[in-house]
Amino acid sequence: MSEEGGDKTTSKNMEGDLKEEIKKLKEQLESLKKQITESYDDEDQPLSIEKYKTGETKIPFISLRQRRRLAGHYGKISAMHWGGEGTKKLVSVSQDGKLIVWDAFLGTKINVIPLRSHWVMTCAFSNSEKFAASGGLDNLCTIHGIPDNEGKYVEEKPHRELKSHEGYLSCARFIENDAKILTSSGDNNCKLWDIENGEVINTFSDHTGDVMCVSPFEGTKIFISGSCDKTSVLWDYRSKNKVVSFPGHEADVNSVEFFPNGNAFASASEDSTCRLFDIRAKQQIQRYGNEKIKSPVTSLAFSRTGSHLFAGYGDFHFVAWDTPTAEIVQDVNAHHDRISTLALHPDGTALCTGSWDMTLSIWSS
């Protein structure tokens, strides 16, 4: 055999050995992933173990009641968002093609803004309450100026139209004193925008499925995203690379929300569970769900202290969970159709739920 022929044979053998080694490593990786996921579904979660270890088994009782019902949309409500600290206002969007600014405490409309697309999926309200954002299947993030005079039907040209995403807009949140906005999309990306210049500051690409939600932590440079790839990812605005990824869910992640102190976050999924992840430990510490709950979790919010986690479900209910023990402290049959959105007032005094039954409800104790 020639020297050249021998070299080719050796090269092929090395290539075959390398492929076999890669195959074994991939199998080990999948096995480890499976072990982690199975541990996430154990009944004894780290937070529960710690709670009962200290002997603190008393579960605080709450009783939320409906205080207002906001009716005015003529299509399924897709999203809602409260204004800044001390606000009495919120915005909502619906498949009737309208963005409505509400006085949540009086239950009245303040402004109505017609949207260019009826297929709207998200909205956001700036802390200054001077701007609102909307987006959906038009792939745009549209920034609307909110007029000072109440009772106005606004047909003015949008303040800005931010165009760069190649898929539907699933979520948007104002940050840094309304100068910037964070968006997520069906194109698997999140983007940070300069609103006045209408330019993309940074694009965050790591998810392998549609990104459904984002949650920034106010006063910091970090945010969480949730995706149809079943993971949540922690990001830093200043870097295009992820900080850490959190697996565990068995289906799409629909909503994410930071714990009040910023050291943890919760996620809601189509797999009918919510999960609590500790960012410092980089692991799941609690799971919220049971065999009776079969509906997807569409949205979630923490109480002001973090002692309760509120979750909205596709079967018209919302549930208040005790955060440490994952015990249900209140189960409310809130609407006549799927709850699509849920958020807590910035001062923690009221909870708002929005539904496909075309109404919003304000709840408080």
Side-chain angles (χ1 to χ4, degrees), residues 76 260 282:
K76 295 176 180 178
K282 300 179 182 178

Side-chain angles (χ1 to χ4, degrees), residues 233-271:
V233 172
L234 176 68
W235 305 89
D236 188 309
Y237 296 142
R238 298 161 292 188
S239 172
K240 293 184 178 181
N241 299 320
K242 70 178 181 181
V243 178
V244 63
S245 182
F246 295 87
H249 281 293
E250 299 172 4
D252 304 356
V253 177
N254 292 326
S255 182
V256 289
E257 184 81 12
F258 270 102
F259 191 77
N261 66 8
N263 291 329
F265 74 93
S267 57
S269 171
E270 290 285 321
D271 65 10

Side-chain angles (χ1 to χ4, degrees), residues 334-348:
H335 288 272
H336 301 296
D337 207 330
R338 177 188 178 98
I339 293 179
S340 54
T341 181
L342 173 152
L344 191 75
H345 188 279
D347 67 11

Side-chain angles (χ1 to χ4, degrees), residues 117-274:
S117 171
H118 284 226
W119 303 107
V120 61
M121 298 178 67
T122 187
C123 66
F125 205 7
S126 67
N127 283 336
S128 68
E129 300 179 358
K130 293 181 179 179
F131 299 101
S134 66
L137 298 188
D138 57 3
N139 299 2
L140 299 174
C141 179
T142 304
I143 310 296
H144 311 273
I146 305 298
D148 295 329
N149 53 325
E150 298 185 6
K152 186 175 180 182
Y153 190 88
V154 184
E155 295 187 283
E156 299 169 2
K157 183 179 178 181
H159 179 71
R160 288 286 183 277
E161 286 187 336
L162 307 178
K163 184 178 181 180
S164 177
H165 281 297
E166 296 178 359
Y168 60 84
L169 199 79
S170 57
C171 190
R173 289 294 179 262
F174 288 96
I175 61 170
E176 298 187 10
N177 298 319
D178 308 346
K180 300 173 184 177
I181 194 166
L182 185 67
T183 59
S184 61
S185 170
D187 63 8
N188 301 1
N189 297 322
C190 302
K191 292 181 185 288
L192 179 64
W193 304 78
D194 182 303
I195 294 174
E196 283 306 309
N197 296 330
E199 297 176 351
V200 176
I201 299 171
N202 215 342
T203 299
F204 308 93
S205 304
D206 184 77
H207 285 294
T208 57
D210 300 9
V211 187
M212 301 306 297
C213 49
V214 288
S215 176
F217 189 63
E218 194 170 350
T220 69
K221 300 291 184 182
I222 60 173
F223 73 94
I224 294 284
S225 62
S227 169
C228 292
D229 64 11
K230 308 176 188 177
T231 68
S232 303
V233 172
L234 176 68
W235 305 89
D236 188 309
Y237 296 142
R238 298 161 292 188
S239 172
K240 293 184 178 181
N241 299 320
K242 70 178 181 181
V243 178
V244 63
S245 182
F246 295 87
H249 281 293
E250 299 172 4
D252 304 356
V253 177
N254 292 326
S255 182
V256 289
E257 184 81 12
F258 270 102
F259 191 77
N261 66 8
N263 291 329
F265 74 93
S267 57
S269 171
E270 290 285 321
D271 65 10
S272 305
T273 69
C274 300

Side-chain angles (χ1 to χ4, degrees), residues 56-68:
E56 298 178 12
T57 57
K58 185 178 179 181
I59 299 171
F61 175 76
I62 63 169
S63 179
L64 297 181
R65 293 188 292 167
Q66 187 183 51
R67 302 299 182 175
R68 293 288 184 274

